[in-house]
DNA sequence: ATAACTGCAAAAGTTTTGCTCGAGG
DNA sequence: CCTCGAGCAAAACTTTTGCAGTTAT
């Protein structure tokens, strides 16, 4: 769960972790990777799903109860500007965040029944769309697919496993 | 620009206009197509691009200066719930709206240079993604692609025609 | 010593709601 | 008439900002 391997500094196969990426960006702009920022980055790094600003604050407070919403938003803004975060729109315009790592494309299903957001993998999405985007006179920088859907399991059985996990 | 043709009431090829659709939905739920609502619907119907709540109010006020923001939001909510509107996320989380008509899929390019939103056509998008969505246990209801991009023209010539039109 | 960071509180936006009056079927 | 809709103003949120004390270099 913590850092592992990556003993030397020569290999080029070591995938930099989210916290490492954030640290680089921060330091390259004269900023510091402080305790508060590290906690927020680590929460985002370890999050299995996208989070709202509220959830992020709640999680961070478990590690340091004094962390404030200002820091959450300041950090989210910073990481977003650095393209390290992706924003996802949940139900009712709810904004959620998740680490973007290096992918340029991402797809998500937003469940209309319970509001959870599920990631969907489609490596070809960006490539397929490139010609049409170019034809419009644009150069693609980031691409995301959003699917609103109903839960099959809920419709058939009246209940849904996913529903029983925190939003 | 108004209604044309559709003389009889027998043909099944008459595509109901946005205002007509809205009227049906309204009346079927015991509500009324009032003057205010009609103005708002007509503005949305005639809009060439997606609009913010603010723009919608501004346009509507040109026809009736007394229209209030409450009515804008109430109408937007109503039409959204009825699936007659599509929400698009502009830059910086700005919410924009456009009529959805009957399409289940829509694609938009958001320009990072000037913030405009351009529609993109890809009729196969929904079909291509269906298997993956089903595999996750969901039944697709609506699908939208969002592309953030840079303007090629601006990069090459230092200016952009689109930029000079109102956001 | 200097520059950056944080929490707090206030501000700024945006969207929703309660209320009362007016309009419409 | 009696219901539904509209505007106004206030409330409710979410996100941003100014400030003053604190921390790290």
């Amino acid at each position: 769960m913590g850092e592992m391997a990556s003993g030397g500094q020569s290999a080029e196969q070591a995938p930099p972790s989210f916290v490492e990426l954030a640290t680089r960006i921060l330091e390259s702009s004269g900023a510091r990777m402080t305790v508060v920022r590290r906690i927020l980055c680590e929460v985002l790094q370890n999050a299995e799903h996208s989070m709202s600003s509220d959830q992020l604050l709640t999680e961070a407070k478990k590690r340091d109860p004094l962390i404030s919403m200002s820091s959450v938003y300041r950090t989210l803004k910073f990481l977003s500007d650095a393209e390290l975060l992706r924003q996802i729109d949940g139900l009712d315009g709810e904004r959620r965040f998740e680490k973007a790592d290096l992918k340029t494309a991402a797809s998500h299903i937003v469940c209309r029944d319970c509001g959870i957001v599920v990631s969907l993998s489609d490596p070809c999405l960006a490539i397929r769309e490139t010609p049409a985007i170019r034809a419009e006179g644009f150069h693609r920088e980031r691409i995301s697919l959003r699917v609103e859907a109903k839960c099959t399991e809920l419709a058939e059985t009246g209940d849904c496993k996913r529903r029983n996990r925190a939003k």
Side-chain angles (χ1 to χ4, degrees), chain A residues 41-107:
Chain A
C41 287
E42 284 174 355
V43 171
L44 285 164
Q45 174 173 270
N46 298 331
E48 204 165 337
H49 307 285
S50 59
M51 313 181 75
S52 64
S53 53
D54 222 39
Q55 289 176 316
L56 180 52
L57 179 61
T58 302
E59 284 307 308
K61 277 191 165 171
K62 290 180 185 169
R63 300 225 223 157
D64 178 348
L66 289 184
I67 291 181
S68 71
M69 193 53 117
S70 314
S71 293
V72 169
Y73 277 113
R74 275 189 281 239
T75 302
L76 286 174
K77 179 88 167 63
F78 188 92
L79 297 173
S80 292
D81 286 350
E83 305 263 340
L84 290 176
L85 287 186
R86 181 180 296 282
Q87 258 187 64
I88 299 148
D89 305 289
L91 245 34
D92 302 315
E94 184 199 24
R95 286 171 74 195
R96 306 182 66 82
F97 302 85
E98 71 176 19
K99 61 179 194 289
D101 289 332
L102 301 171
K103 292 177 293 184
T104 63
S107 306

Side-chain angles (χ1 to χ4, degrees), chain A residues 6 17 23 28 45 48 56 83 98 100 116 135 155 163:
Chain A
S6 102
S17 73
T23 305
S28 74
Q45 174 173 270
E48 204 165 337
L56 180 52
E83 305 263 340
E98 71 176 19
I116 61 163
R163 181 169 223 163

